[in-house]
Amino acid sequence: RLTGPFLATGVTSEFFVIMTFLIIFRLLFERVKWVRHGLMALLVMDLGLLIATGNRGGFLVLIGGSLVFLWLFRKELGVQRVVQLLTAGIVMLSLASAIVINYTDFDRLYSRLSDTTFEEGIPDTRQNAWPKAWARIKESPVFGHGPRFQMEGAFRGKRYPGYEFQNYPHNLYLFLLATIGVVGLIAFMAMIATPLIRCWRTAAIPNLGIEYLAFAKTGVVIMIVFLVDQLK
C-alpha cells in the first residue's frame, strides 16, 4: 500500500482527496485548453495514487465529498453540467482504477472494501484500537490523560518514565478525548469551526463573484472532508 512522504496511508489518502477538490475547482474556471488537459491528467494521477493507498475510508470520503461538492454547486453549474461532471468523474476514476489494479502492485483497495466486516458498528481493522481508547477515555473523560499515546512514525519505539503508551487509535476524536478530554476536544472543534464558518458565510455573500463564491464553497467541502475523514 502506498504510504507516501507522510509514512501513513490514511494521511496520504486524505491529502489526495483534498487535492482532488482543489483540482476540480481549478478545472471549473480554467479557459486555456492545454492547461485543462494537464489538470485532467493530474486528476487521473491523483485518483490513481489515492487508490494505491488502499485506504477504504479515504475512498468513501471522496465519494461522499463529491456528492456534497456537486450539491453545493448545483445552482452555479446547472443540472446538465452536474451530470457531465459526475460522468467525467466516474470515467476518470474507472481509468485510474484500471491502471493501478492491472499494472501495479497497489491493487488492494477494492478487495479490502469487499472484505470489510463490522461488529457492533466498528470496522474489522478498528475492533481493538477503538475499544481500548474508549476504555482510557472513561477513566478521565473531562481533561484526559495527557500525551500518553505513542505516536507512529518518528516517535515509534521511544519510551518515557511514568507513561504507559498505547498506539494511535486511528480516530482523531478518540485520540483527543483520551489525551486532552472533553474540554480539549471542544477547544479543538472551535478552532476547526472558525475557517468552516468563515467559508460558509463567504459563500452566502450576494454578488460576490462566481469564482470567489466557488473558492469559498470548495473550502466548505474540504473542511467537511477533513472532519469526516478523521473518524478513521
Side-chain angles (χ1 to χ4, degrees):
R1 295 170 61 189
L2 180 67
T3 57
F6 304 108
L7 302 179
T9 57
V11 181
T12 303
S13 69
E14 184 174 19
F15 171 81
F16 289 127
V17 171
I18 290 174
M19 286 305 302
T20 296
F21 294 112
L22 290 175
I23 296 170
I24 293 173
F25 165 75
R26 282 293 315 277
L27 270 170
L28 290 176
F29 300 98
E30 183 57 60
R31 297 291 179 262
V32 180
K33 190 173 182 179
W34 70 269
V35 176
R36 286 182 59 82
H37 289 163
L39 287 170
M40 285 188 282
L42 183 62
L43 184 56
V44 172
M45 287 189 287
D46 185 86
L47 292 172
L49 291 170
L50 170 63
I51 294 166
T53 66
N55 189 270
R56 298 166 294 183
F59 179 79
L60 295 175
V61 168
L62 172 68
I63 302 302
S66 298
L67 297 177
V68 172
F69 186 92
L70 292 175
W71 181 80
L72 286 175
F73 282 87
R74 65 194 185 283
K75 292 182 180 179
E76 291 79 13
L77 297 173
V79 175
Q80 182 177 354
R81 199 170 181 198
V82 165
V83 173
Q84 289 175 346
L85 281 173
L86 186 59
T87 304
I90 293 173
V91 171
M92 289 183 179
L93 184 61
S94 300
L95 176 61
S97 299
I99 293 172
V100 172
I101 291 173
N102 292 306
Y103 299 104
T104 78
D105 293 328
F106 304 109
D107 57 353
R108 296 178 56 191
L109 173 62
Y110 295 110
S111 61
R112 294 188 78 230
L113 279 169
S114 63
D115 294 339
T116 300
T117 59
F118 291 85
E119 184 177 328
E120 297 181 353
I122 301 176
D124 48 5
T125 54
R126 303 291 183 260
Q127 287 173 6
N128 289 323
W130 288 4
K132 283 183 179 179
W134 185 247
R136 294 299 301 273
I137 290 166
K138 290 191 292 184
E139 294 173 2
S140 182
V142 179
F143 296 107
H145 292 280
R148 297 193 178 202
F149 275 94
Q150 176 190 348
M151 295 298 292
E152 296 174 340
F155 300 104
R156 180 174 294 165
K158 291 188 177 181
R159 293 290 185 270
Y160 297 93
Y163 285 90
E164 179 185 347
F165 289 95
Q166 294 185 21
N167 289 326
Y168 184 69
H170 297 282
N171 182 301
L172 175 65
Y173 308 105
L174 291 178
F175 172 73
L176 292 174
L177 284 170
T179 53
I180 54 180
V182 173
V183 174
L185 178 63
I186 291 173
F188 176 83
M189 294 305 295
M191 178 186 70
I192 292 296
T194 300
L196 176 58
I197 292 171
R198 287 183 177 180
C199 287
W200 187 271
R201 288 177 175 174
T202 302
I205 296 175
N207 305 317
L208 180 63
I210 188 170
E211 190 163 350
Y212 289 107
L213 181 71
F215 190 63
K217 287 187 175 183
T218 302
V220 171
V221 174
I222 288 174
M223 294 304 300
I224 291 174
V225 162
F226 170 79
L227 289 170
V228 174
D229 192 69
Q230 290 305 314
L231 289 170
K232 66 178 177 55

